[in-house]
Each structure stands twice: as structure tokens, then as C-alpha cells.
């Protein structure tokens, strides 16, 4: 890795995470196309490299949330309980089955585009009302764990941060962003540690670009470490309406990104 590539990776990780961390998204889903198109990371090595980014970047935001008490509560445990076994299954599928990305991109676009649009419109509608509206009931613990497991499988296959899927769904079901964001980031971090370790073990017995690009992943992760801390520090200063709008816009951006890739 050249110094210019490392500097570009650091800047990308910093800028992406400072925007996405306040709503519980690690930013790996936006870093993925940068790694492939700009930094030249091949597949499937891009998946564990993205997971390595999450491992290095995660403690920045988590340290801030730990100090503020945001990691307490059952939601964090439920998400980790589901995503950890899911990412192991996803890594094995990615290495041995090598599923094509088209179906996955289509599913994400179909899920996040309407969900992001609905979240933005609902937030704007409620912000315009003078009387506060009650949020809809949240999901049951069993449903949350099942959702987290499905997201873990997707993360293991494609190296995306679980918060990019968990955040919009859980907030759309009525949970506050301030509660969802720390739990989603914690689940993303733990899942990425397990996922990166799984890929490293599989690389010992399988040929091909399976191991992460360590130097580039560390460079991007250091940028995310700084940006994640700044983003988590910024979160309490933002109103819930702004956070929901940001999450909705990010969901639209992720869904739109995958839709464009499908059409190419």
C-alpha cells in the first residue's frame, strides 16, 4: 500500500463515519464501493477488509457511548446474540458458495428505498404537527434476535455494517435513535471481530484473496475511529427529528447506491 492510498483510505473512513455514527451506522456500506472502485481491493478480500475497518473504527464511538451509558439495556445483547452466529454462516457462504451480488443488491434496494422514504416523510409530518404523536410499538425480543441473525448473515457475506439495516428497521418500528444507535454499533463491532476472525481462519485452508488487506483496512479503520468518536459525541446535540431524517436519508442513499449498481 502506498502512502497516498493509505491517506485516501483514512480520509474516506473519517468523513463517512462522522456522518453515519450518530445514527448507529458504521459507514462500512459506503466504504465498500470506495474500496472496490477507488482503492482497488478485489473480491472476496473486500469483505474481510471492510470487517477489519469496523473492528478498528468501532471503539471510537463505543467509548463515547459507554461513558454516557448508552450501551446498557437488553437491546445490545439481543442484537449481538443474533448477529454473531449469523456472520459466521455468512462468511462460510461467501467463501464456499460465492453468491452473486445482484440478488442481494436488489433486496437491499427494495427494502431500504421505501423504508428510508417512509421514515423521512413520517418524521417531517410529525415535526409539522403541534401535538406530539406516540411511536408505534417496538419489535418483540424474539423478532429482534431473528432480524439481527439475518443481518449478520448479510454482513458476513458482503461485509456491510449491520447498523445500516438494523437502524432504519428498528427506528421505523418506533424505537428512538438514541437507543438504537449504540446497540447497533456494538453489534456491528462484535460481529465484525468474529467475521474478520472467521475469514482469517478460512484463508489458512482456502486459496484466493480471502484474507483482509491489513494495511488498508487499518488505515480506513483509524479514520473511522476518529470520525466515529466525533459522530457519537455529536449525537446528543442533535434533536431526534434530525437524527431520524439523517437515518432516512442514509437508508435512501444506501438503497439508491445498490439500485444504481444493479442498473449498470
Amino acid at each position: 500500500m502506498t502512502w497516498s492510498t493509505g491517506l485516501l483510505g483514512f480520509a474516506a473512513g473519517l468523513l463517512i463515519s462522522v456522518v453515519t455514527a450518530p445514527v448507529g451506522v458504521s459507514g462500512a456500506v459506503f466504504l465498500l464501493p470506495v474500496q472496490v472502485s477507488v482503492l482497488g481491493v478485489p473480491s472476496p478480500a473486500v469483505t474481510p477488509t471492510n470487517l477489519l475497518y469496523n473492528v478498528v473504527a468501532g471503539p471510537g464511538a463505543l467509548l463515547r457511548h459507554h461513558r454516557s451509558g448508552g450501551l446498557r439495556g437488553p437491546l445490545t445483547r439481543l442484537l449481538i446474540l443474533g448477529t454473531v452466529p449469523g456472520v459466521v454462516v455468512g462468511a462460510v457462504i461467501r467463501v464456499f458458495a460465492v453468491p452473486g451480488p445482484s440478488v442481494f443488491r436488489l433486496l437491499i434496494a427494495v427494502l431500504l428505498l421505501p423504508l428510508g422514504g417512509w421514515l423521512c416523510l413520517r418524521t417531517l409530518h410529525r415535526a409539522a404537527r403541534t401535538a406530539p404523536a406516540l411511536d408505534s410499538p417496538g419489535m418483540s425480543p424474539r423478532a429482534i434476535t431473528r432480524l439481527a441473525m439475518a443481518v449478520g448473515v448479510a454482513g458476513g457475506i458482503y461485509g456491510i455494517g449491520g447498523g445500516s439495516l438494523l437502524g432504519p428497521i428498528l427506528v421505523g418500528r418506533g424505537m428512538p435513535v438514541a437507543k438504537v444507535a449504540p446497540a447497533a454499533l456494538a453489534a456491528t463491532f462484535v460481529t465484525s471481530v468474529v467475521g474478520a476472525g472467521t475469514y482469517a481462519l478460512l484463508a489458512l485452508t482456502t486459496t484466493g484473496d480471502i484474507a483482509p488487506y491489513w494495511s488498508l483496512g487499518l488505515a480506513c479503520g483509524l479514520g473511522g475511529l476518529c470520525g466515529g468518536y466525533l459522530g457519537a459525541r455529536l449525537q446528543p446535540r442533535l434533536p431526534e427529528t434530525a437524527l431520524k431524517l439523517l437515518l432516512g436519508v442514509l437508508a435512501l442513499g444506501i438503497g439508491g447506491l445498490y439500485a444504481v449498481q444493479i442498473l449498470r
Side-chain angles (χ1 to χ4, degrees), residues 41 50 58 64-65 86 94 96 108 129 133 146 181 197 211 213 226 239:
V41 181
N50 232 26
R64 180 64 186 176
H65 286 306
R94 176 60 167 159
F96 294 105
I108 297 302
R129 297 175 61 177
R146 289 176 178 174
Y213 277 32
C226 301

Side-chain angles (χ1 to χ4, degrees), residues 156-208:
I157 297 175
Y158 299 101
I160 65 170
S164 61
L165 300 177
L166 292 171
I169 295 175
L170 294 177
V171 172
R173 291 299 302 268
M175 293 186 181
V177 177
K179 179 181 179 181
V180 171
L185 287 172
T188 297
F189 173 72
V190 175
T191 302
S192 298
V193 171
V194 175
T198 302
Y199 272 97
L201 292 175
L202 291 173
L204 298 176
T205 58
T206 309
T207 59

Side-chain angles (χ1 to χ4, degrees), residues 21-249:
V23 290
V25 179
S26 70
V29 67
F30 291 108
L31 187 63
L32 187 64
V34 174
Q35 290 192 47
V36 173
S37 302
V38 180
L39 302 177
V41 181
S43 178
V46 66
T47 300
T49 303
N50 232 26
L51 293 174
L52 178 60
Y53 159 81
N54 284 337
V55 172
V56 179
L62 293 178
L63 176 62
R64 180 64 186 176
H65 286 306
H66 174 71
R67 290 176 176 175
S68 63
L71 297 177
R72 300 170 186 169
L75 182 59
T76 300
R77 295 191 295 271
L78 290 173
L79 294 184
I80 293 175
L81 182 63
T83 54
V84 167
V87 74
V88 176
V89 174
V92 174
I93 292 173
R94 176 60 167 159
V95 172
F96 294 105
V98 195
S102 299
V103 174
F104 171 76
R105 290 170 179 168
L106 177 61
L107 290 175
I108 297 302
V110 169
L111 172 66
L112 290 186
L113 282 174
L115 181 59
W118 173 76
L119 189 57
C120 288
L121 290 176
R122 190 184 71 161
T123 303
L124 290 172
H125 175 69
R126 291 188 173 183
R129 297 175 61 177
T130 56
L134 295 176
D135 285 323
S136 57
M139 301 172 64
S140 67
R142 181 175 296 181
I144 291 174
T145 303
R146 289 176 178 174
L147 171 65
M149 182 172 292
V151 170
V153 173
I157 297 175
Y158 299 101
I160 65 170
S164 61
L165 300 177
L166 292 171
I169 295 175
L170 294 177
V171 172
R173 291 299 302 268
M175 293 186 181
V177 177
K179 179 181 179 181
V180 171
L185 287 172
T188 297
F189 173 72
V190 175
T191 302
S192 298
V193 171
V194 175
T198 302
Y199 272 97
L201 292 175
L202 291 173
L204 298 176
T205 58
T206 309
T207 59
D209 292 315
I210 298 173
Y213 277 32
W214 296 98
S215 55
L216 182 59
L218 290 173
C220 295
L222 289 174
L225 181 71
C226 301
Y229 183 85
L230 294 174
R233 189 183 181 96
L234 179 65
Q235 186 205 59
R237 295 173 169 82
L238 297 175
E240 180 74 7
T241 298
L243 291 171
K244 286 184 176 181
L245 280 176
L246 176 59
L247 185 59
V249 170

